[in-house]
Amino acid sequence: MQSIRNIAIIAHVDHGKTTLVDKIIHASKIFDAHQHFDDLILDNNDLERERGITIVSKNVSVRYKDVKINIIDTPGHADFGGEVERVLKMADGVLLLVDAFEGPMPQTRFVLGKAVQLGLKPIVVVNKVDKENCRPDEVHEMVFDLMFNLDASEDQLDFVTIYGSSKNGWMSTDWQKPTDNITPLLDAIIEVIPPAPSEEGTPQMQITSLDYSSFVGRIAIGRVKRGTLMEGANMSLCKRDGSIKKVKIKELQVFEGLGRVRVESVSAGEICAVTGIEGFEIGDTLADFENPEPLERIAIDEPTMNMLFTINNSPFFGKEGKFVTSRHLRDRLYKEMEKNLALRVDETDKEDTFLVYGRGILHLSVLIETMRREGYELQVGQPQVIFKEVDGQKMEPMEHLVVDVPEESAGKVIELVTQRKGDLLIMEPKGDLQHLEFNIPSRGLIGLRNNVLTATAGEAIMNHRFVAYEPFKGAIPGRINGSLIAMETGPGTAYSIDKLQDRGVFFVEPGEEVYMGMVIGEHSRQNDLTVNIQKGKQLTNMRASGSDNNVKIVPKKQFSLEEAMEYIQKDELLEITPKSIRMRKIYLDENERKRYGNN
């Protein structure tokens, strides 16, 4: 019977988690000499690599001194809360990775809080101690204070700290004495993290995540809680509604290195993948055939935002995407719900429109970005916050917002946040930056990042996490400026864009195809303005001296997907195709807009 350690890694975006796992894998010599691979093995989808965030947790295992260490990667973002909780259920300990300069960040706090509640034993790794201005001892104190504030037990507060630089491939118990390998960390894992408990008795396994293969269908992944699972055995699947379904295990696989290996049986404490089971959900229990006992289900945080998803019906529909019909959209959203626990999809009275609920702008934008890369065309409406009614009082979700900003811009940031009903809680220097903490309604965050980055010349670092539902704070001013709207369909000309430059900022450039009703710029005033950018210059055969100068046009304003989602107004939609992101009015015809706008 081999000894197993199951450990989850918690770290903030960009603190070096994925690099550290790469180094652990190297240290245990999993790769054969002939195998070539890229860096950042874990961030395997393009979107994760580009954004530098982990969205879907992955499992890797290494062997060290006859012990098998299962490393479970956790998402580092509060928007993926559903994912975090499930992952921690499989672990017996956590590796908390913090940057030696930045220290623990607000979103690390979210995941760490869940781990502390579950009673997991932590090991703290202070990474990047080779950077200048780093302050490893202070960061160690900060982690202790954070654990204390999260109500950690005596045993959890007595944590081991390892210092090092995963980029340079070394770890040590003393940051002033670098080593040349990362074995001190592996030794600490084996000493500190308790072995996976192996209970005897009838088999039990909770399904905590799933995988999909086009050959065998859906694959259930989880940790065996008790007993032994056997290949070919008949089992019971305990569902959410209390019903029990009889199923048969076709194949069992355990994680070995970066892949999976087929085995005949899996005993308690090991994480495994089961194929051949149909109709399961995350949270269901695989139990004994004769007397099944379900495990307690995982409670998932509720969504705080919703958005309208609808098919693309703009004049340019179907030009760039493969999947454009409502059936495609519907199937894709329901497929996503199977994996993405914090997501909810409701049908509306129109068959081509769905209401999608998620944990925040990032959570929803990752789904939209994934879909457009797969070839979908769709339109989404303005993100809306979900309100609740408690004892006759209107409640709204509140978030804890942390901004680190250069001192000279702190005043502007405070002003922007307080305009949106944010309350300043803490203001203190942190290195050469001002550290600000606020409580702010979730709806106040929509569009805030854009304004803060503009006001601070892009130097602000913002993070936020959901706290709780609190009484409604009153109206928040939205975007002040109106939109510039295209009057006709066709490519814009440099001549007409040049003549209209004093009217506002354009989002399109000469030669770009636009259609009637498309939002092509931001008006310099509060009202919307319909403009004609297709007009060419009237040509004559007379040369007017001095008037034929070259046209000088300000470059167009580019939006990322999240910025565009935050920018649009109530009466606007965002058209998303594999190649373009366009903003448009819901009613393209100006007369229709007037008719519906005055009601």
Side-chain angles (χ1 to χ4, degrees), residues 4-11 68-74 84-97 111-112 114-125 147 155-156 159-160 185 188-197 223 269 271:
I4 297 173
R5 305 282 189 279
N6 295 322
I7 184 158
I9 292 199
I10 299 176
K68 181 174 180 188
I69 304 173
N70 281 319
I71 301 168
I72 312 157
D73 196 10
T74 62
V84 168
E85 247 146 299
R86 307 196 312 248
V87 172
L88 293 176
K89 275 277 181 102
M90 295 196 272
D92 300 303
V94 293
L95 207 57
L96 175 67
L97 188 65
V111 187
L112 187 62
K114 301 276 186 207
V116 167
Q117 279 169 10
L118 290 168
L120 302 179
K121 177 87 182 166
I123 291 180
V124 175
V125 178
M147 300 275 282
D155 182 43
Q156 286 171 323
F159 54 81
V160 171
L185 173 61
I189 291 176
I190 291 175
E191 283 161 31
V192 177
I193 304 295
R223 184 171 86 170
I271 295 172

Side-chain angles (χ1 to χ4, degrees), residues 450-597:
N450 241 342
N451 295 354
V452 167
L453 289 178
T454 310
T456 60
E459 292 198 2
I461 303 166
M462 284 174 67
N463 289 293
H464 55 87
R465 60 186 173 85
F466 171 69
V467 183
Y469 271 85
E470 290 183 13
F472 183 67
K473 291 268 202 166
I476 292 179
R479 184 177 105 204
I480 300 162
N481 294 17
S483 304
L484 293 174
I485 305 160
M487 190 185 285
E488 290 175 18
T489 300
T493 64
Y495 171 77
S496 47
I497 291 180
D498 177 46
K499 291 276 179 277
L500 290 162
Q501 284 195 106
D502 56 343
R503 295 297 190 152
V505 182
F506 278 91
F507 308 155
V508 294
E509 51 198 16
E512 204 171 310
E513 289 279 345
V514 302
Y515 52 80
M516 180 173 87
M518 185 169 144
V519 174
I520 53 172
E522 181 177 300
H523 191 197
S524 51
R525 305 213 174 143
Q526 292 184 1
N527 58 325
D528 288 351
L529 182 69
T530 309
V531 295
N532 182 342
I533 62 163
Q534 282 86 3
K535 262 200 321 242
K537 184 175 180 190
Q538 293 300 317
L539 299 176
T540 70
N541 56 3
M542 298 285 288
R543 272 204 67 171
S545 68
S547 64
D548 280 353
N549 291 345
N550 289 343
V551 177
K552 292 191 179 63
I553 290 181
V554 179
K556 70 172 183 178
K557 183 170 177 184
Q558 290 274 20
F559 283 92
S560 71
L561 178 61
E562 272 120 84
E563 287 168 350
M565 284 164 65
E566 293 183 339
Y567 183 81
I568 55 174
Q569 302 278 42
K570 270 203 182 65
D571 63 338
E572 293 169 355
L573 291 173
L574 200 56
E575 177 191 350
I576 294 148
T577 72
K579 293 181 186 160
S580 333
I581 296 175
R582 303 184 190 97
M583 297 180 228
R584 54 162 285 188
K585 290 289 180 189
I586 294 176
Y587 300 110
L588 296 176
D589 187 302
E590 192 177 359
N591 298 325
E592 275 190 35
R593 282 201 296 278
K594 283 181 179 154
R595 186 158 73 235
Y596 290 106

